[in-house]
Amino acid sequence: MGWCFAMVNGRLAEIFFDKKRRGDNRIWAHCYVRMEEYKTKRERQQIKQDTKRVRVSYRNKRYKLLSAYAKRA
């Protein structure tokens, strides 16, 4: 199991996923968070890096990766 920050439907969120052998990741949950919850400089840097790479749409109980880089990661 892994997790990272992402933009889900235009809002900051933490997403949780399972890594598979072929490099495909299956997202199984997310939770919306606020930037103010993360105080340290390292956490804020991680948010900036992750949100550039990962953008996700969640609709009808399904996740869809929107960024091209996220499909390769």
Side-chain angles (χ1 to χ4, degrees):
M1 179 186 99
W3 72 274
C4 69
F5 294 104
M7 296 300 287
V8 178
N9 296 336
R11 294 173 58 189
L12 180 63
E14 291 180 3
I15 59 171
F16 302 91
F17 57 91
D18 291 325
K19 293 182 180 180
K20 294 188 177 183
R21 290 184 189 181
R22 293 181 290 160
D24 298 335
N25 296 329
R26 184 180 154 267
I27 301 171
W28 54 272
H30 77 278
C31 64
Y32 294 112
V33 295
R34 294 184 181 175
M35 181 75 99
E36 297 83 31
E37 294 176 15
Y38 300 96
K39 304 279 186 210
T40 66
K41 186 176 180 179
R42 183 175 180 191
E43 290 173 332
R44 291 187 179 245
Q45 286 176 346
Q46 287 177 331
I47 290 172
K48 284 184 182 180
Q49 290 173 352
D50 289 349
T51 55
K52 283 182 186 177
R53 294 183 303 155
V54 184
R55 295 193 184 275
V56 178
S57 173
Y58 179 71
R59 185 173 177 186
N60 296 330
K61 300 180 184 177
R62 292 185 183 229
Y63 292 97
K64 181 179 179 183
L65 293 174
L66 301 177
S67 10
Y69 183 81
K71 293 178 184 176
R72 289 182 263 145

